Amino acid sequence: MKNNHNIPWKKLDQVWIADNSQSDKIIQFIGSFIFGSCPLNSYKYLLEFLYQKGYSLIIYRFPFNPFGFNHWQISFQLLKQQYQAREYLIKKFHKLNDSHSVNKYLDNNNY
C-alpha cells in the first residue's frame, strides 16, 4: 500500500482534500471524538485503501476539546467546513475548465 505521503492532500483550513480523478465517487469522512483529531494518522490505512480504490476523499478534523464540548457548535462548524470544501473544489475546477470535475462535486449522488 502507498503511504499517506503519496496521497496528494490539499489542506483547506481544518479539512484535507484528495481528489481522485479515477472515479466520480466522493467520501466525506469525519473521525471519532478522539481519533478524529488527527485523522490522517489515525485512519491512515483506511484512507490509503479508499484512495487506491479510486475515491476522492474529504477529511474533516473532529475538533477535540474535552472542556468545552458542544454538539451544536461542532455540528455547525463541520457543516460550514463541508460547504467551504465543496465550494473550493467547484471553483478550482471551474477555473481549470474541467467540467467533469465540476459536475462531480455538484452532483449530490456522488457523495
Side-chain angles (χ1 to χ4, degrees):
M1 254 188 207
K2 296 179 187 176
N3 63 34
N4 264 336
H5 301 292
N6 292 333
I7 296 176
W9 293 109
K10 167 70 176 151
K11 190 169 190 297
L12 177 67
D13 195 23
Q14 296 297 313
V15 179
W16 289 270
I17 300 169
D19 180 63
N20 195 328
S21 60
Q22 296 177 3
S23 171
D24 285 343
K25 299 302 177 188
I26 304 159
I27 294 177
Q28 296 185 90
F29 188 87
I30 302 171
S32 65
F33 179 65
I34 294 174
F35 297 111
S37 295
C38 49
L40 296 184
N41 293 327
S42 299
Y43 302 102
K44 176 181 176 181
Y45 297 108
L46 174 61
L47 298 175
E48 289 172 0
F49 175 79
L50 294 171
Y51 188 79
Q52 286 180 0
K53 291 295 180 184
Y55 290 94
S56 292
L57 304 171
I58 304 174
I59 312 302
Y60 303 95
R61 182 186 163 275
F62 191 93
F64 179 71
N65 184 356
F67 302 110
F69 191 74
N70 180 328
H71 283 89
W72 280 106
Q73 181 183 18
I74 290 170
S75 297
F76 286 124
Q77 180 182 357
L78 290 169
L79 184 61
K80 180 181 173 185
Q81 290 176 355
Q82 178 185 15
Y83 285 125
Q84 288 173 336
R86 195 171 183 178
E87 179 183 12
Y88 164 80
L89 289 162
I90 292 167
K91 284 181 178 180
K92 172 187 170 184
F93 289 114
H94 182 71
K95 286 180 184 177
L96 296 172
N97 291 322
D98 183 348
S99 60
H100 173 77
S101 294
V102 169
N103 292 331
K104 169 182 167 176
Y105 288 103
L106 282 172
D107 188 350
N108 289 330
N109 293 320
N110 292 335
Y111 291 85

